[in-house]
Structure formats: structure tokens, C-alpha cells
Amino acid sequence: MFMQIMAAINAVQAVASYMGQMQQATAMADYQQRMYQQNKEIADQAARDQYQGLGTRTYQEREAAALDIMNASRAAREAMSTARVSSGEAGVSGASTDALLQDFERRQFEYTYGRQRSQDFREQAFEEQKKGIRSQQQGRVLSMLPKPVERPSFLGAALRIGAGIMDAKRQFSVPVWKDGKFNLQSY
């Protein structure tokens, strides 16, 4: 009877230990998943904020370039008007006046082309920065992936139960000489 009680106590302890370890492993996995989700949301928001900042900066630079081109165009038109009036008042006309006006037009075109080209390069750089932001966001998310949580082994619990039964049998058995050999007999 004592042997059965001892074996039952060992079995209950092994099952309780297994269940406690399982609860702890589940709680750890849940905690890691919640932390991962929270950190992912933070990384996603940071990326959105950076994208928005680049979008605002792109818009502002486009507006500045357009204003700059518009002002340069206005200045070129004013210079061409002044040159026409001045040449008309001076009674000068012909190839030299036409060459001067064409030079103003050429300079305006070169400036406009250069300014637009420069803006295109800036926008390409912003697109590359967006790729970098995306890579950084993905790196942050991947670095926060939950680590595997070791779950308790059911086989280990079964082996502890078996060992407990064997230990109880050993403790509550006495060797008895019978039929020319020793046999264990429970008491």
C-alpha cells in the first residue's frame, strides 16, 4: 500500500511539474509574440513617418524649383523686353539684336533644364532613401522575431513517473529467498 501511495505522489508531482513547465512556456511564447507585435508596430510607424517626411521634402523642393524657374523666366523676359526697347530706341535692329535675344532665350532654357535636371536627381536620391527606410524597417522587424520557446517533454514526464514507480518499488520491497534465488517482495 505504501508503495502505491509513493508511486501516486511521484506521478502527481511529475504531472504537476509538466503542466507548470507547459504554462511557463506558453506564457513566454505569448509575451514574446506581444513584444514582437508592439515593436513591429513601432518600426512600421517610424517608417511611415520617414516616408511622409521625404514626401513633404520632395513637394517643398518641387515647389521651390518651380518658383525658381518661374522667377528666372520672368527675369529673362524682362531682360529681353528691355533689350528690344533699348535697341528700338537706339534705332538698332537686325542680326545683332536677334543674336542678343536668342542668347537670353538660350540662357533661360539652359537654366530651366539644369534646374529641372537637378530636381530629378534629388527625387531619385529620395527614392533611394525610401528603399533604405524599407530595408531598415525590415531589419528591425526581423531582429525582433520571437525566439523558439522550449516546451517540456511529455516523454520526460513519463520517464519521471516510471522512475518514481521504480524508486517506490525499491524502497518498499525486501529481498526474499525463494526457490534458490532472491526475489523482491513488497510490503
Side-chain angles (χ1 to χ4, degrees), residues 12-177:
V12 167
Q13 286 176 339
V15 169
S17 174
Y18 173 79
M19 291 176 65
Q21 290 172 353
M22 185 60 86
Q23 286 176 343
Q24 186 177 13
T26 300
M28 178 60 82
D30 290 346
Y31 171 77
Q32 285 183 354
Q33 186 61 37
R34 283 192 315 272
M35 293 306 296
Y36 168 77
Q37 201 57 38
Q38 184 178 19
N39 286 327
K40 183 180 181 310
E41 288 172 15
I42 290 169
D44 291 346
Q45 184 61 49
R48 282 191 297 272
D49 292 345
Q50 288 177 319
Y51 288 142
Q52 185 177 1
L54 280 177
T56 300
R57 189 168 164 201
T58 300
Y59 172 76
Q60 290 170 341
E61 289 205 13
R62 279 183 191 155
E63 289 297 309
L67 183 62
D68 202 21
I69 290 170
M70 185 178 70
N71 288 336
S73 180
R74 182 182 305 123
R77 282 192 312 270
E78 288 173 0
M80 289 184 341
S81 293
T82 302
R84 278 191 194 110
V85 169
S86 295
S87 63
E89 289 176 352
V92 177
S93 64
S96 61
T97 302
D98 291 341
L100 179 64
L101 294 175
Q102 287 175 354
D103 187 51
F104 281 129
E105 287 177 358
R106 181 187 53 78
R107 287 183 189 184
Q108 177 191 357
F109 173 77
E110 287 173 352
Y111 181 80
T112 300
Y113 176 78
R115 188 67 168 97
Q116 287 173 339
R117 202 68 184 128
S118 176
Q119 182 60 32
D120 289 343
F121 290 145
R122 280 191 190 91
E123 289 184 25
Q124 286 175 358
F126 291 155
E127 289 303 313
E128 292 302 316
Q129 285 180 337
K130 286 180 182 179
K131 289 178 187 176
I133 290 168
R134 178 70 178 150
S135 294
Q136 184 180 26
Q137 175 196 20
Q138 289 173 339
R140 285 178 182 170
V141 169
L142 288 175
S143 74
M144 295 177 270
L145 282 175
K147 306 291 185 259
V149 175
E150 189 174 328
R151 304 273 180 185
S153 167
F154 184 74
L155 178 61
L159 290 174
R160 284 192 298 278
I161 291 171
I165 291 171
M166 295 301 290
D167 190 42
K169 189 172 185 174
R170 185 185 48 79
Q171 285 181 0
F172 293 102
S173 298
V174 290
V176 175
W177 184 263

